[in-house]
Amino acid sequence: MAKKKAATQQNTPASNADDSGKEQKLKPANSVVVRHILCEKHGKIIEAMGKLDKKELPFDKVAELYSEDKAKKGGSLGSMARGSMVGPFQDVAFALPPSTCNKPIYNKEPVKTKFGYHIIMVESRK
């Protein structure tokens, strides 16, 4: 009898598939270089996500327009070690494959933390 696969979290990326449609297997990492967009209000983060979904602007430009935190410079948080981020943010950050601001791979549902709502993208993994 086959075992049931664990349910995926709603805050995981839409797909870890590369341009060829093949699933990417993420290498284990202890740190990620991460960008995010942080908004206190759910409606504002949904508006920012709409800009990304429509590919109207690169991730860093959307972050400059919408993010409400100190990472307004394109949303960059720099290198973040495992254990240095709040739980739900960290879970999503380490589940995302690396991408670029011009072709971002980000969580498709906002991540809620004590700071507000986040859209997260990872630039590299170490």
Side-chain angles (χ1 to χ4, degrees), residues 3-73:
K3 291 183 182 178
K4 286 186 177 180
K5 289 186 178 182
T8 58
Q9 292 181 321
Q10 75 177 38
N11 288 328
T12 55
S15 172
N16 283 343
D18 62 18
D19 290 338
S20 67
K22 294 179 182 174
E23 277 296 307
Q24 294 176 343
K25 180 139 178 141
L26 294 176
K27 294 178 183 176
N30 291 318
S31 67
V32 289
V33 175
V34 66
R35 288 182 184 266
H36 78 144
I37 300 167
L38 171 65
C39 299
E40 186 178 326
K41 303 282 185 196
H42 188 263
K44 188 171 182 182
I45 202 78
I46 294 300
E47 186 178 329
M49 194 168 275
K51 296 279 187 195
L52 292 170
D53 289 344
K54 292 177 185 171
K55 299 174 178 36
E56 291 179 14
L57 294 169
F59 192 95
D60 56 338
K61 299 301 179 198
V62 175
E64 288 173 11
L65 291 171
Y66 288 90
S67 198
E68 300 170 353
D69 73 334
K70 64 181 176 124
K72 279 192 93 65
K73 289 189 176 183

Side-chain angles (χ1 to χ4, degrees), residues 9 29-32 34 80-96 111 113 118 120 122 125:
Q9 292 181 321
N30 291 318
S31 67
V32 289
V34 66
M80 303 287 289
R82 191 180 294 275
S84 67
M85 299 168 265
V86 292
F89 186 102
Q90 177 172 282
D91 293 344
V92 172
F94 280 95
L96 288 165
V111 176
T113 70
H118 305 262
I120 304 164
V122 171
R125 301 167 55 87

